[in-house]
PDB file of all heavy atoms in Angstrom:
ATOM      1  N   ARG Q 296      89.705  99.171  86.199  1.00 98.00           N
ATOM      2  CA  ARG Q 296      89.851 100.390  85.416  1.00 98.00           C
ATOM      3  C   ARG Q 296      90.633 101.396  86.258  1.00 98.00           C
ATOM      4  O   ARG Q 296      90.826 101.211  87.460  1.00 98.00           O
ATOM      5  CB  ARG Q 296      88.475 100.968  85.039  1.00 98.00           C
ATOM      6  CG  ARG Q 296      87.677 100.098  84.078  1.00 98.00           C
ATOM      7  CD  ARG Q 296      88.226 100.204  82.662  1.00 98.00           C
ATOM      8  NE  ARG Q 296      87.374  99.510  81.713  1.00 98.00           N
ATOM      9  CZ  ARG Q 296      87.575  98.269  81.284  1.00 98.00           C
ATOM     10  NH1 ARG Q 296      88.602  97.574  81.754  1.00 98.00           N
ATOM     11  NH2 ARG Q 296      86.761  97.713  80.413  1.00 98.00           N
ATOM     12  N   GLY Q 297      91.069 102.487  85.614  1.00 98.00           N
ATOM     13  CA  GLY Q 297      91.906 103.436  86.326  1.00 98.00           C
ATOM     14  C   GLY Q 297      91.424 104.869  86.224  1.00 98.00           C
ATOM     15  O   GLY Q 297      90.673 105.237  85.318  1.00 98.00           O
ATOM     16  N   VAL Q 298      91.887 105.685  87.185  1.00 98.00           N
ATOM     17  CA  VAL Q 298      91.662 107.132  87.214  1.00 98.00           C
ATOM     18  C   VAL Q 298      93.025 107.791  87.323  1.00 98.00           C
ATOM     19  O   VAL Q 298      93.809 107.473  88.228  1.00 98.00           O
ATOM     20  CB  VAL Q 298      90.778 107.542  88.408  1.00 98.00           C
ATOM     21  CG1 VAL Q 298      90.615 109.056  88.464  1.00 98.00           C
ATOM     22  CG2 VAL Q 298      89.414 106.858  88.336  1.00 98.00           C
ATOM     23  N   ALA Q 299      93.324 108.700  86.406  1.00 98.00           N
ATOM     24  CA  ALA Q 299      94.645 109.316  86.315  1.00 98.00           C
ATOM     25  C   ALA Q 299      94.692 110.667  87.020  1.00 98.00           C
ATOM     26  O   ALA Q 299      93.655 111.292  87.281  1.00 98.00           O
ATOM     27  CB  ALA Q 299      95.030 109.491  84.843  1.00 98.00           C
ATOM     28  N   LEU Q 313      97.197 106.137  78.181  1.00 98.00           N
ATOM     29  CA  LEU Q 313      96.495 105.777  79.412  1.00 98.00           C
ATOM     30  C   LEU Q 313      95.162 105.097  79.101  1.00 98.00           C
ATOM     31  O   LEU Q 313      94.778 104.118  79.753  1.00 98.00           O
ATOM     32  CB  LEU Q 313      96.266 107.019  80.268  1.00 98.00           C
ATOM     33  CG  LEU Q 313      97.512 107.662  80.890  1.00 98.00           C
ATOM     34  CD1 LEU Q 313      97.162 109.010  81.512  1.00 98.00           C
ATOM     35  CD2 LEU Q 313      98.138 106.735  81.930  1.00 98.00           C
ATOM     36  N   HIS Q 314      94.462 105.607  78.114  1.00 98.00           N
ATOM     37  CA  HIS Q 314      93.174 105.020  77.724  1.00 98.00           C
ATOM     38  C   HIS Q 314      93.363 103.568  77.284  1.00 98.00           C
ATOM     39  O   HIS Q 314      92.596 102.678  77.689  1.00 98.00           O
ATOM     40  CB  HIS Q 314      92.561 105.844  76.585  1.00 98.00           C
ATOM     41  CG  HIS Q 314      91.196 105.373  76.174  1.00 98.00           C
ATOM     42  ND1 HIS Q 314      90.045 105.754  76.821  1.00 98.00           N
ATOM     43  CD2 HIS Q 314      90.803 104.523  75.177  1.00 98.00           C
ATOM     44  CE1 HIS Q 314      89.000 105.182  76.252  1.00 98.00           C
ATOM     45  NE2 HIS Q 314      89.434 104.428  75.256  1.00 98.00           N
ATOM     46  N   GLU Q 315      94.385 103.322  76.485  1.00 98.00           N
ATOM     47  CA  GLU Q 315      94.644 101.963  76.013  1.00 98.00           C
ATOM     48  C   GLU Q 315      95.016 101.039  77.165  1.00 98.00           C
ATOM     49  O   GLU Q 315      94.796  99.826  77.095  1.00 98.00           O
ATOM     50  CB  GLU Q 315      95.742 101.986  74.947  1.00 98.00           C
ATOM     51  CG  GLU Q 315      95.294 102.655  73.654  1.00 98.00           C
ATOM     52  CD  GLU Q 315      96.424 102.877  72.674  1.00 98.00           C
ATOM     53  OE1 GLU Q 315      97.596 102.612  73.040  1.00 98.00           O
ATOM     54  OE2 GLU Q 315      96.145 103.330  71.541  1.00 98.00           O
ATOM     55  N   GLY Q 316      95.549 101.621  78.248  1.00 98.00           N
ATOM     56  CA  GLY Q 316      95.900 100.833  79.422  1.00 98.00           C
ATOM     57  C   GLY Q 316      94.748 100.598  80.370  1.00 98.00           C
ATOM     58  O   GLY Q 316      94.914  99.899  81.379  1.00 98.00           O
ATOM     59  N   GLY Q 317      93.572 101.189  80.098  1.00 98.00           N
ATOM     60  CA  GLY Q 317      92.404 100.950  80.938  1.00 98.00           C
ATOM     61  C   GLY Q 317      91.962 102.120  81.790  1.00 98.00           C
ATOM     62  O   GLY Q 317      91.052 101.979  82.614  1.00 98.00           O
ATOM     63  N   VAL Q 318      92.571 103.295  81.610  1.00 98.00           N
ATOM     64  CA  VAL Q 318      92.167 104.479  82.367  1.00 98.00           C
ATOM     65  C   VAL Q 318      90.932 105.091  81.716  1.00 98.00           C
ATOM     66  O   VAL Q 318      90.832 105.175  80.496  1.00 98.00           O
ATOM     67  CB  VAL Q 318      93.321 105.500  82.432  1.00 98.00           C
ATOM     68  CG1 VAL Q 318      92.883 106.784  83.124  1.00 98.00           C
ATOM     69  CG2 VAL Q 318      94.519 104.886  83.154  1.00 98.00           C
ATOM     70  N   ARG Q 319      89.987 105.534  82.550  1.00 98.00           N
ATOM     71  CA  ARG Q 319      88.733 106.067  82.030  1.00 98.00           C
ATOM     72  C   ARG Q 319      88.311 107.384  82.682  1.00 98.00           C
ATOM     73  O   ARG Q 319      87.195 107.868  82.440  1.00 98.00           O
ATOM     74  CB  ARG Q 319      87.604 105.038  82.220  1.00 98.00           C
ATOM     75  CG  ARG Q 319      87.768 103.779  81.384  1.00 98.00           C
ATOM     76  CD  ARG Q 319      87.687 104.064  79.887  1.00 98.00           C
ATOM     77  NE  ARG Q 319      87.834 102.866  79.071  1.00 98.00           N
ATOM     78  CZ  ARG Q 319      88.994 102.418  78.583  1.00 98.00           C
ATOM     79  NH1 ARG Q 319      90.122 103.063  78.862  1.00 98.00           N
ATOM     80  NH2 ARG Q 319      89.046 101.329  77.833  1.00 98.00           N
ATOM     81  N   ALA Q 320      89.189 107.976  83.496  1.00 98.00           N
ATOM     82  CA  ALA Q 320      88.828 109.227  84.168  1.00 98.00           C
ATOM     83  C   ALA Q 320      90.090 109.952  84.614  1.00 98.00           C
ATOM     84  O   ALA Q 320      91.171 109.361  84.704  1.00 98.00           O
ATOM     85  CB  ALA Q 320      87.928 108.958  85.372  1.00 98.00           C
ATOM     86  N   ALA Q 321      89.938 111.241  84.896  1.00 98.00           N
ATOM     87  CA  ALA Q 321      91.001 112.045  85.496  1.00 98.00           C
ATOM     88  C   ALA Q 321      90.486 112.633  86.798  1.00 98.00           C
ATOM     89  O   ALA Q 321      89.315 112.998  86.903  1.00 98.00           O
ATOM     90  CB  ALA Q 321      91.438 113.163  84.549  1.00 98.00           C
ATOM     91  N   LEU Q 348      87.467 111.116  74.500  1.00 98.00           N
ATOM     92  CA  LEU Q 348      87.625 109.688  74.745  1.00 98.00           C
ATOM     93  C   LEU Q 348      86.492 109.113  75.591  1.00 98.00           C
ATOM     94  O   LEU Q 348      86.491 107.913  75.899  1.00 98.00           O
ATOM     95  CB  LEU Q 348      88.958 109.431  75.454  1.00 98.00           C
ATOM     96  CG  LEU Q 348      90.216 109.740  74.635  1.00 98.00           C
ATOM     97  CD1 LEU Q 348      91.461 109.584  75.496  1.00 98.00           C
ATOM     98  CD2 LEU Q 348      90.300 108.830  73.420  1.00 98.00           C
ATOM     99  N   GLY Q 349      85.538 109.957  75.974  1.00 97.00           N
ATOM    100  CA  GLY Q 349      84.422 109.479  76.780  1.00 97.00           C
ATOM    101  C   GLY Q 349      84.760 109.305  78.243  1.00 97.00           C
ATOM    102  O   GLY Q 349      84.047 108.608  78.967  1.00 97.00           O
ATOM    103  N   TRP Q 350      85.848 109.942  78.688  1.00 98.00           N
ATOM    104  CA  TRP Q 350      86.213 109.875  80.095  1.00 98.00           C
ATOM    105  C   TRP Q 350      85.294 110.764  80.928  1.00 98.00           C
ATOM    106  O   TRP Q 350      84.472 111.509  80.407  1.00 98.00           O
ATOM    107  CB  TRP Q 350      87.648 110.360  80.295  1.00 98.00           C
ATOM    108  CG  TRP Q 350      88.728 109.445  79.817  1.00 98.00           C
ATOM    109  CD1 TRP Q 350      88.623 108.429  78.912  1.00 98.00           C
ATOM    110  CD2 TRP Q 350      90.106 109.497  80.222  1.00 98.00           C
ATOM    111  NE1 TRP Q 350      89.858 107.835  78.723  1.00 98.00           N
ATOM    112  CE2 TRP Q 350      90.775 108.476  79.513  1.00 98.00           C
ATOM    113  CE3 TRP Q 350      90.832 110.295  81.097  1.00 98.00           C
ATOM    114  CZ2 TRP Q 350      92.150 108.241  79.669  1.00 98.00           C
ATOM    115  CZ3 TRP Q 350      92.186 110.069  81.256  1.00 98.00           C
ATOM    116  CH2 TRP Q 350      92.833 109.048  80.555  1.00 98.00           C
ATOM    117  N   HIS Q 351      85.500 110.691  82.238  1.00 98.00           N
ATOM    118  CA  HIS Q 351      84.808 111.594  83.154  1.00 98.00           C
ATOM    119  C   HIS Q 351      85.820 112.137  84.162  1.00 98.00           C
ATOM    120  O   HIS Q 351      86.996 111.752  84.150  1.00 98.00           O
ATOM    121  CB  HIS Q 351      83.656 110.884  83.876  1.00 98.00           C
ATOM    122  CG  HIS Q 351      84.089 109.698  84.675  1.00 98.00           C
ATOM    123  ND1 HIS Q 351      84.235 108.438  84.130  1.00 98.00           N
ATOM    124  CD2 HIS Q 351      84.420 109.558  85.987  1.00 98.00           C
ATOM    125  CE1 HIS Q 351      84.621 107.590  85.051  1.00 98.00           C
ATOM    126  NE2 HIS Q 351      84.763 108.252  86.205  1.00 98.00           N
ATOM    127  N   LEU Q 487      79.550 103.433  83.709  1.00 98.00           N
ATOM    128  CA  LEU Q 487      80.461 104.584  83.744  1.00 98.00           C
ATOM    129  C   LEU Q 487      81.870 104.211  83.312  1.00 98.00           C
ATOM    130  O   LEU Q 487      82.544 105.000  82.641  1.00 98.00           O
ATOM    131  CB  LEU Q 487      80.491 105.177  85.152  1.00 98.00           C
ATOM    132  CG  LEU Q 487      81.270 106.499  85.315  1.00 98.00           C
ATOM    133  CD1 LEU Q 487      80.646 107.604  84.444  1.00 98.00           C
ATOM    134  CD2 LEU Q 487      81.327 106.934  86.762  1.00 98.00           C
ATOM    135  N   TYR Q 488      82.330 103.025  83.685  1.00 97.00           N
ATOM    136  CA  TYR Q 488      83.724 102.652  83.444  1.00 97.00           C
ATOM    137  C   TYR Q 488      83.927 101.693  82.271  1.00 97.00           C
ATOM    138  O   TYR Q 488      85.055 101.363  81.919  1.00 97.00           O
ATOM    139  CB  TYR Q 488      84.340 102.060  84.712  1.00 97.00           C
ATOM    140  CG  TYR Q 488      84.604 103.134  85.752  1.00 97.00           C
ATOM    141  CD1 TYR Q 488      83.665 103.412  86.747  1.00 97.00           C
ATOM    142  CD2 TYR Q 488      85.744 103.910  85.700  1.00 97.00           C
ATOM    143  CE1 TYR Q 488      83.880 104.419  87.673  1.00 97.00           C
ATOM    144  CE2 TYR Q 488      85.968 104.917  86.612  1.00 97.00           C
ATOM    145  CZ  TYR Q 488      85.038 105.170  87.603  1.00 97.00           C
ATOM    146  OH  TYR Q 488      85.241 106.175  88.500  1.00 97.00           O
ATOM    147  N   GLY Q 489      82.820 101.240  81.674  1.00 95.00           N
ATOM    148  CA  GLY Q 489      82.948 100.427  80.470  1.00 95.00           C
ATOM    149  C   GLY Q 489      83.474  99.035  80.701  1.00 95.00           C
ATOM    150  O   GLY Q 489      84.150  98.473  79.843  1.00 95.00           O
TER     151      GLY Q 489
END
Side-chain angles (χ1 to χ4, degrees):
R296 293 285 187 264
V298 177
L313 291 170
H314 184 84
E315 291 171 354
V318 176
R319 293 295 180 268
L348 294 174
W350 288 20
H351 59 275
L487 187 61
Y488 287 94

